[in-house]
Amino acid sequence: MWTAWCVAALSVAAVCGVHQKTNTVLRVTKEVLSNAISGTLQQSDALHSALREVPMGKAGVGGVPYNDFHVREPPTKYTNSKQLGSNYKYDHIETNDNTAQQGGKYRYGKILESDGSIRDLQNRDYRNAENANDGHRGHGQYRSAEGASTMRRQELRPGEIPPGVATGVLGPGGLLGTGGMLAANGILSGQGGLLGGGGLLGDGGLLGGGGVLGVLGEGGILSTVQGITGLRIVELTLPRVSVRLLPGVGVYLSLYTRVAINGNSLIGFLDIAVEVNITAKVRLTMNGTGYPRLVIERCDTLLGGIKVRLLRGLLPNLVDNLVNRVLANVLPDLLCPIVDVVLGLVNDQLGLVDSLIPLGILGSVQYTFSSLPLVTGEFLELDLNTLVGEAGGGLIDYPLGRPAIAPSQKMPELPPMGDNTNSQLAISANFLGSVLTLLQKQGALDIDITDGMFEELPPLTTSTLGTLIPKVFQQYPESRPLTIKIQVPNPPSVTLRKDKALVKVFAIAEVMVSQPNDVETAICLIDVDTDLLAMFSVEGDKLMIDTKLDKTSLNLRTSDVGNFDVGLMEVLVRKIFNLAFMPAMNAVLGSGVPLPKILDIDFSNANIKVLEDLLVLSA
């Protein structure tokens, strides 16, 4: 039985039923979550899936915006460009109807006066100098030069134009006047002039609103998303992950990465390098099957350090602003799904806790979540119910059959986490007792010891026993071999005190003698109460338990050789337990107790402390 337990291959046993008690608690800090997410990013192809063409719709986004699936509250319409999030317009420019603005909204032949009124340059009456002077606000008609010479000379006030100049160069027939070269009908500003509506720089000209600068300007095709095509993410660096715990909610996740994007524009090939900070508010919930889930409530992107390589010196600000607006719209839809994929893989890790883990060949261990995880500002606490089941049988509920003697205790409070502790696993005495109960129910603690099985023991014969109990020698004068059958009829009990773990095992030792006809007869039956000291360690992902005999107490139950002082057998029984029973029991325990597999936590170098009713592993 012992050999089969030690060397047989591990097998998975079915565990059924639901148990809602908490007997194991796991605490993890934000560093553990951050490492789990970083490790998942390295091992998965989530980043590779983002290396694809950017879908461009009418608004620069393909499909439904990402946060439409997650946001419960309507997002703000616009914010400044420094705010986290994709719901803003980068450097939003108010439209100006001023005619000096490239690509702006204006009508040819109209001038905006300082008082807000519109003066129509195409009005025929305006071309008449006399009507124009009559319509000049705040001034009389122009005077001739002769009349002007008879006028008294006056000092000019600041900003006042001398009368000669007003009637000369700036007059109706002057260079800049109504009919002059730069006037409305002049060579440069007229309808057909160089700067006029049909001229080189005019509204319909080469560089005007409909020309090259119109294409590049506000309202032109390049200033809209249609001006950029074929955007494709070609490189995505491994994100730097940071996590902040949100008490009572979940976590605030931040992924900092660099993205390389290629694309085309009307004025050349675009080579874009952008730094992106992906932020997500993640809520910790429980699904219908009782597993915790990390669910994104909102995902945003903050762009920074955008570098666009184009034709050098050609409208860099315009292109940068346009690229910012386009990327602010499309990147959340491309990068936020990466967070979804990664959290999905982390959720799968949380689900692995529920896996059946073999406990030797006799049973299995299964960790389940007994309540919604607790999120504080310092750690995430997971309450686990550890189920120990028999192979092909039911659950082990420790203590078994003795509720009046040792009722199940509530999970004690955990000690504070140390400054250098990122993970803390607390195991109750009830759980450890359940493991030993499984071994006892399966008979793994029972052993038959015969003469010669253990070299360290004295010969197990009637002669050896007769030297201690004369009545045995009298009844069996000829030396016959003995067999010591040790059975553990009741589950062992586990008691945890500060710096001490005690296991109590009650055993029955039956001394049998082999007759010449191979028939065994009983000599005596002895009750043996033992106290074992337990030591703990971690190897791999298993808790190892090693025990040693502390003390024994004997009681003679029955005897076929008459009553005798059982204390005479104290030394022999203690030696049998030390050299035979204890090694066999430790061999069984040597298979280890599986620890919960969650978030790639490594307790192999954990600091182990025994507290009141609690075994604490800190890593």
Side-chain angles (χ1 to χ4, degrees):
M1 183 65 183
W2 292 87
T3 303
W5 167 265
C6 297
V7 302
L10 299 180
S11 63
V12 176
V15 173
C16 57
V18 178
H19 204 292
Q20 297 301 325
K21 296 178 182 178
T22 297
N23 50 25
T24 307
V25 174
L26 175 64
R27 285 178 174 177
V28 297
T29 62
K30 62 182 182 181
E31 284 75 18
V32 173
L33 293 175
S34 179
N35 292 337
I37 295 173
S38 297
T40 302
L41 281 169
Q42 290 179 333
Q43 299 172 10
S44 71
D45 59 351
L47 296 180
H48 182 74
S49 64
L51 302 181
R52 58 188 180 91
E53 189 167 345
V54 177
M56 301 288 288
K58 292 182 178 180
V61 184
V64 181
Y66 177 85
N67 282 316
D68 284 2
F69 296 107
H70 301 273
V71 181
R72 297 180 180 177
E73 299 177 358
T76 54
K77 292 184 177 180
Y78 302 108
T79 62
N80 62 64
S81 58
K82 296 182 179 180
Q83 177 170 330
L84 292 178
S86 60
N87 295 302
Y88 64 89
K89 288 189 175 181
Y90 185 94
D91 288 346
H92 181 64
I93 302 175
E94 297 294 339
T95 301
N96 191 341
D97 290 339
N98 192 314
T99 59
Q101 180 174 333
Q102 289 184 351
K105 298 178 180 179
Y106 63 93
R107 293 183 180 179
Y108 170 76
K110 293 184 178 181
I111 296 177
L112 180 65
E113 296 286 4
S114 60
D115 61 357
S117 62
I118 302 295
R119 179 145 52 102
D120 192 349
L121 299 182
Q122 293 180 328
N123 192 332
R124 292 183 178 179
D125 294 336
Y126 177 78
R127 298 179 183 178
N128 184 285
E130 182 179 356
N131 291 337
N133 290 331
D134 287 341
H136 195 352
R137 298 181 305 274
H139 297 279
Q141 295 181 347
Y142 286 109
R143 299 175 181 268
S144 65
E146 181 181 357
S149 63
T150 61
M151 293 178 61
R152 182 180 178 182
R153 186 173 180 178
Q154 297 179 354
E155 295 294 331
L156 295 177
R157 290 172 295 180
E160 184 177 0
I161 300 175
V165 177
T167 58
V169 176
L170 302 181
L175 175 64
L176 302 180
T178 304
M181 180 173 64
L182 299 182
N185 294 318
I187 185 173
L188 294 182
S189 299
Q191 178 65 24
L194 179 63
L195 303 181
L200 176 64
L201 300 180
D203 187 38
L206 176 62
L207 301 181
V212 174
L213 294 185
V215 172
L216 301 180
E218 179 71 21
I221 189 171
L222 186 57
S223 65
T224 66
V225 294
Q226 286 81 5
I228 294 181
T229 59
L231 287 182
R232 183 178 184 85
I233 297 179
V234 295
E235 185 179 356
L236 192 66
T237 62
L238 183 66
R240 185 172 68 242
V241 180
S242 63
V243 173
R244 177 164 57 89
L245 297 176
L246 301 177
V249 178
V251 298
Y252 185 82
L253 177 63
S254 177
L255 305 178
Y256 173 81
T257 184
R258 293 183 177 90
V259 184
I261 304 174
N262 291 340
N264 298 307
S265 72
L266 294 181
I267 53 178
F269 178 77
L270 295 176
D271 186 2
I272 305 169
V274 57
E275 298 177 3
V276 182
N277 194 24
I278 311 169
T279 60
K281 180 182 179 183
V282 182
R283 182 173 293 274
L284 185 59
T285 64
M286 294 279 280
N287 63 12
T289 57
Y291 300 123
R293 307 289 293 178
L294 294 169
V295 180
I296 297 179
E297 284 196 344
R298 181 162 188 81
C299 180
D300 302 296
T301 58
L302 175 65
L303 309 183
I306 296 180
K307 296 181 181 179
V308 182
R309 285 194 293 180
L310 191 62
L311 300 178
R312 291 187 177 180
L314 181 57
L315 303 176
N317 292 334
L318 174 63
V319 175
D320 285 353
N321 291 344
L322 174 57
V323 170
N324 272 278
R325 290 199 298 270
V326 172
L327 295 183
N329 284 332
V330 300
L331 285 183
D333 286 358
L334 295 176
L335 301 183
C336 284
I338 295 178
V339 183
D340 258 335
V341 173
V342 172
L343 291 183
L345 296 174
V346 174
N347 288 334
D348 291 341
Q349 292 187 34
L350 294 176
L352 289 176
V353 174
D354 192 48
S355 302
L356 292 174
I357 309 173
L359 187 61
I361 61 173
L362 303 179
S364 61
V365 172
Q366 182 181 25
Y367 293 90
T368 62
F369 293 94
S370 57
S371 62
L372 179 68
L374 171 67
V375 183
T376 71
E378 299 177 352
F379 54 80
L380 171 66
E381 182 174 293
L382 305 172
D383 292 341
L384 303 176
N385 176 33
T386 309
L387 307 177
V388 179
E390 299 178 82
L395 299 178
I396 301 297
D397 189 9
Y398 173 85
L400 186 68
R402 297 183 298 166
I405 299 176
S408 298
Q409 299 177 353
K410 292 183 178 180
M411 190 71 181
E413 292 292 330
L414 274 68
M417 297 183 69
D419 294 336
N420 298 322
T421 300
N422 290 326
S423 303
Q424 186 182 66
L425 180 65
I427 301 174
S428 68
N430 286 347
F431 169 44
L432 298 175
S434 296
V435 174
L436 295 179
T437 298
L438 170 66
L439 303 181
Q440 180 269 328
K441 284 177 64 66
Q442 295 291 326
L445 301 181
D446 299 340
I447 183 174
D448 292 349
I449 305 170
T450 59
D451 183 34
M453 182 181 293
F454 296 94
E455 295 180 358
E456 300 85 351
L457 290 176
L460 295 181
T461 62
T462 54
S463 299
T464 302
L465 187 60
T467 58
L468 301 175
I469 306 172
K471 291 183 178 181
V472 174
F473 185 77
Q474 294 174 3
Q475 189 166 337
Y476 300 98
E478 184 178 347
S479 181
R480 306 296 303 171
L482 298 176
T483 299
I484 311 297
K485 294 184 177 183
I486 300 177
Q487 292 183 333
V488 180
N490 300 320
S493 65
V494 178
T495 303
L496 300 178
R497 296 288 182 263
K498 183 173 175 57
D499 300 327
K500 185 177 182 180
L502 184 65
V503 179
K504 287 184 173 291
V505 178
F506 171 75
I508 298 176
E510 187 176 17
V511 182
M512 308 290 293
V513 58
S514 296
Q515 301 291 350
N517 56 0
D518 293 333
V519 175
E520 291 185 337
T521 59
I523 294 180
C524 61
L525 204 63
I526 302 173
D527 295 338
V528 184
D529 281 306
T530 64
D531 288 352
L532 313 179
L533 297 178
M535 288 73 67
F536 303 95
S537 62
V538 177
E539 294 183 8
D541 57 355
K542 293 182 179 181
L543 176 68
M544 311 304 293
I545 305 175
D546 187 72
T547 59
K548 69 176 182 179
L549 185 64
D550 184 30
K551 59 184 180 180
T552 60
S553 176
L554 307 183
N555 177 60
L556 181 63
R557 178 178 292 192
T558 61
S559 172
D560 282 352
V561 295
N563 193 23
F564 62 88
D565 183 7
V566 73
L568 298 175
M569 296 185 62
E570 180 78 30
V571 175
L572 178 62
V573 170
R574 185 178 180 86
K575 183 172 291 187
I576 290 173
F577 267 76
N578 261 328
L579 299 178
F581 180 82
M582 295 308 303
M585 181 175 178
N586 286 329
V588 175
L589 296 175
S591 297
V593 180
L595 297 175
K597 296 180 179 180
I598 183 170
L599 302 177
D600 295 327
I601 299 175
D602 183 12
F603 285 105
S604 58
N605 296 318
N607 180 30
I608 302 176
K609 288 186 177 181
V610 180
L611 304 177
E612 193 75 15
D613 296 325
L614 210 58
L615 180 67
V616 179
L617 284 65
S618 300

